[in-house]
Amino acid sequence: QVQLVESGGGLVQAGESLRLTCVASGIISKITSLRWYHQAPGQQRQLVATLNSDSTTEYADSVKGRFTISKDGTSNTVYLQMDRLKIEDTGVYYCMVALDPMTTLGTLYHWGQGTQVTVSS
């Protein structure tokens, strides 16, 4: 059973940094991408960072140059380094893993429970 567990959220002041961690377990098929989403209060969940299987990365314009997604070697641990945080970065951050449909039976997308990030002025 695939499980994703996020950690690292907290309360920080604007301009400070946080590093979120997502540990994925139970994955036996190929991963096509690892992603971080941000859900601001009262808003829909938005994709902020993607790490593809070919090691390319993609970022939302709102976080480009401030956030960095990375992976811990061959383990299924993915990080989101968040620098120069802004008040509008406040919200719940979710980790998501997308699995290869050619090698996966069942659910292709798995989510963590989320971790709260609050940025104060």
Side-chain angles (χ1 to χ4, degrees), residues 12 22 32 34 42 65 76-77 79 82 87 89 92 100 114 117 120-121:
V12 296
C22 173
T32 58
L34 295 160
N76 288 327
T77 299
Y79 304 102
M82 305 188 295
I87 293 174
D89 295 324
V92 181
D100 181 3
V117 171
S120 65
S121 61

Side-chain angles (χ1 to χ4, degrees), residues 67-78:
F67 290 11
T68 304
I69 187 171
S70 62
K71 186 172 172 288
D72 183 11
T74 58
S75 76
N76 288 327
T77 299
V78 62

Side-chain angles (χ1 to χ4, degrees), residues 24-105:
S25 60
I27 296 175
I28 60 172
S29 56
K30 181 181 176 183
I31 294 173
T32 58
S33 66
L34 295 160
R35 308 175 193 174
W36 285 98
Y37 285 76
H38 169 227
Q39 187 165 19
Q43 303 293 319
Q44 290 188 328
R45 204 170 293 187
Q46 301 283 341
L47 176 63
V48 294
T50 301
L51 176 60
N52 296 305
S53 58
D54 62 359
S55 300
T56 57
T57 57
E58 300 167 38
Y59 297 95
D61 288 342
S62 60
V63 307
K64 204 170 290 183
R66 299 189 298 120
F67 290 11
T68 304
I69 187 171
S70 62
K71 186 172 172 288
D72 183 11
T74 58
S75 76
N76 288 327
T77 299
V78 62
Y79 304 102
L80 185 67
Q81 177 67 41
M82 305 188 295
D83 297 322
R84 301 192 302 281
L85 281 160
K86 302 178 180 180
I87 293 174
E88 52 263 41
D89 295 324
T90 292
V92 181
Y93 285 77
Y94 297 90
C95 173
M96 190 268 267
V97 59
L99 302 178
D100 181 3
M102 300 301 291
T103 60
T104 303
L105 294 175

Side-chain angles (χ1 to χ4, degrees), residues 8-24:
L11 172 63
V12 296
Q13 290 189 321
E16 294 184 338
S17 298
L18 277 176
R19 189 175 81 158
L20 306 184
T21 300
C22 173
V23 179

